[in-house]
Amino acid sequence: MPLVNLFGSKWKLLLSALLICAVIFDLDAQEQRTTPGRTSKPSKPKLGKTTNKGPRAVTAKPKIKTTPAAPAQTVLTQVLNRGKFKKVGETISVQSGDTLELRCRGKPVRWSVPSYLEEDDDGRLRTVQQERYGVLTLVNSTGADTGEYTCYPMYCEDTDCRKDYDKAVKVFVFFPDPHELFVPSSEYYEVIQLRTNWPTVLPCQVTSPEAKVTLHREFPPVEVAVDGTEISFNVKKGFTIHRPRPYHAGALYCVASLGNLRQSSTKYMLIYVNYPMAPPSPVIQASSSSLAAGENLRVSCSVVGEQNVVVEFTWEYPGQQIGRPLYTQENISPVGGGAARQQSQSILLVDEIRDVDQGTYTCTAQNLQGATSVSTTVKVVSKVKPKKP
């Protein structure tokens, strides 16, 4: 076969193949146009432009207001073994002998610990301030370390820093001790004053929140009823007598039991004091605001208040300047009415008043709540000599 015919036949085959491919692509395009359900998506108009031709309609971009970031909340966490962290609640328990490690977010922070540790920690307590948090570490812990631990974020202006009490976080930490159910005390007896209408706490502090605690009277030896109203118990504080009365006085102690262990606390000597609700409100009155020389003066100072509340009176008077001695009469008398009340009174006596006794008389009445002063002024006039007939 001649070489020209060979190349000619090849070109014919190539052209035929191209024609067949073109027909196939054309048929496929027609099928896509006629296939139902396939619709071309309309193009979305660009933001800030209109789809109509012509001048652009520019839309103003809304201004985004930036609010200042809120100050970071103080967070207190406990560092556990293997670098694990746990956010603390109101109370946590750490076995005595183990290490307590607390982290408090803030820069800087200050720590408050039980008074026992503040007085003498034997080098077991350490606090460190890192860049963003403070760390408290207590090693070789004992039951005596039981108490409240507080972290205070510091508010600083230049070099002046103070505790931010509103953002303080605290946790009560128990250190259960298999041999000590109560936090140890160096005192065998502790005297506690019972004040009228003033809650009184008997700090029977246990080292384990699981201990059962009861209140007892030494004589007669009976268990004191705890009803939650007159007397209540809080595992973090002890027993509270909410409205002390004379019959609450005496020697009391607490008993704690856990498993087979039973122990007694320090004894508390409760002494009842009829404590006033408020400072006294004295009323002062002179027998006369103007006296003639040679007459006698009486200035009374009276206080009406609760029964059995002691009121002390002190006086300031013009005669002190020349050393005139102080003569007073004091008395207490009941006041009628539904409530048990009394009147305490002090009367200042000045015999044969003179010019030097003219001036201001001040009475100060004082009770356990405070002192109040009241004053009055007395004028001395010369005696008018009778005219001779």
Side-chain angles (χ1 to χ4, degrees):
M1 181 180 294
L3 184 61
V4 176
N5 291 338
L6 180 62
F7 282 104
S9 59
K10 287 184 178 180
W11 279 107
K12 287 180 180 180
L13 290 173
L14 180 60
L15 289 173
S16 300
L18 291 173
L19 288 172
I20 292 171
C21 290
V23 171
I24 291 173
F25 281 119
D26 184 56
L27 290 174
D28 185 53
Q30 289 180 7
E31 182 181 1
Q32 288 183 2
R33 285 194 296 269
T34 57
T35 301
R38 292 188 181 179
T39 57
S40 59
K41 295 182 181 180
S43 59
K44 293 183 180 179
K46 293 182 180 180
L47 183 65
K49 296 183 180 180
T50 60
T51 53
N52 297 330
K53 298 290 184 178
R56 297 185 194 177
V58 180
T59 58
K61 294 183 179 180
K63 294 182 179 179
I64 301 175
K65 294 182 178 180
T66 58
T67 56
Q73 184 181 4
T74 309
V75 178
L76 190 61
T77 56
Q78 180 186 5
V79 182
L80 305 175
N81 294 332
R82 300 176 183 177
K84 294 182 179 179
F85 300 89
K86 178 184 177 183
K87 188 176 179 180
V88 302
E90 291 185 1
T91 64
I92 59 174
S93 291
V94 178
Q95 191 63 38
S96 61
D98 291 350
T99 297
L100 169 68
E101 185 174 347
L102 298 174
R103 286 192 180 185
C104 182
R105 186 167 68 186
K107 180 184 179 181
V109 301
R110 292 289 183 272
W111 295 91
S112 173
V113 298
S115 57
Y116 167 78
L117 284 173
E118 288 181 348
E119 294 169 1
D120 184 15
D121 60 14
D122 297 328
R124 299 180 298 116
L125 178 68
R126 190 167 71 103
T127 58
V128 177
Q129 180 65 50
Q130 302 291 354
E131 184 178 356
R132 296 184 179 179
Y133 59 87
V135 182
L136 180 146
T137 306
L138 177 65
V139 300
N140 300 327
S141 61
T142 68
D145 300 326
T146 297
E148 193 171 71
Y149 293 73
T150 307
C151 170
Y152 297 95
M154 302 296 289
Y155 177 77
C156 297
E157 292 180 351
D158 296 331
T159 58
D160 181 25
C161 293
R162 62 181 183 271
K163 293 179 180 177
D164 192 341
Y165 290 91
D166 294 334
K167 296 180 181 178
V169 287
K170 57 186 67 177
V171 60
F172 196 95
V173 184
F174 293 95
F175 292 92
D177 190 322
H179 306 293
E180 292 287 348
L181 294 181
F182 288 104
V183 174
S185 173
S186 58
E187 303 294 335
Y188 181 72
Y189 271 100
E190 183 176 340
V191 178
I192 296 179
Q193 191 178 80
L194 294 171
R195 299 179 178 182
T196 310
N197 302 318
W198 194 278
T200 301
V201 176
L202 279 65
C204 304
Q205 182 58 65
V206 289
T207 61
S208 171
E210 305 299 325
K212 181 183 177 182
V213 188
T214 53
L215 183 61
H216 298 258
R217 185 175 292 276
E218 189 173 35
F219 183 82
V222 294
E223 181 177 340
V224 179
V226 179
D227 58 3
T229 303
E230 183 177 354
I231 302 177
S232 64
F233 177 73
N234 185 312
V235 72
K236 297 187 294 183
K237 294 170 56 178
F239 289 97
T240 300
I241 304 175
H242 294 278
R243 293 177 64 86
R245 293 292 181 263
Y247 58 81
H248 289 130
L252 280 74
Y253 62 96
C254 304
V255 174
S257 55
L258 182 62
N260 297 325
L261 187 61
R262 180 182 170 91
Q263 292 179 343
S264 298
S265 72
T266 295
K267 288 185 173 61
Y268 302 100
M269 293 297 299
L270 306 184
I271 301 174
Y272 182 77
V273 177
N274 202 345
Y275 209 78
M277 297 289 291
S281 299
V283 175
I284 192 170
Q285 185 176 9
S287 55
S288 177
S289 60
S290 178
L291 291 91
E295 295 182 337
N296 296 333
L297 171 67
R298 289 167 54 94
V299 184
S300 66
C301 185
S302 305
V303 173
V304 176
E306 299 98 336
Q307 218 170 33
N308 300 322
V309 172
V310 177
V311 179
E312 295 181 352
F313 296 94
T314 55
W315 288 92
E316 294 179 15
Y317 54 99
Q320 285 176 306
Q321 298 177 6
I322 61 168
R324 178 188 279 273
L326 175 68
Y327 293 103
T328 59
Q329 294 178 349
E330 296 189 359
N331 61 78
I332 299 175
S333 58
V335 176
R341 297 175 72 78
Q342 69 182 20
Q343 176 180 270
S344 303
Q345 187 179 57
S346 177
I347 301 174
L348 174 65
L349 303 173
V350 182
D351 294 333
E352 298 181 354
I353 196 169
R354 294 179 288 173
D355 291 341
V356 293
D357 297 316
Q358 176 175 288
T360 301
Y361 289 74
T362 301
C363 166
T364 300
Q366 182 172 2
N367 62 19
L368 293 174
Q369 282 280 28
T372 307
S373 298
V374 288
S375 300
T376 188
T377 302
V378 175
K379 184 178 180 181
V380 179
V381 295
S382 300
K383 273 188 176 182
V384 178
K385 294 181 180 180
K387 294 182 180 181
K388 293 181 180 180

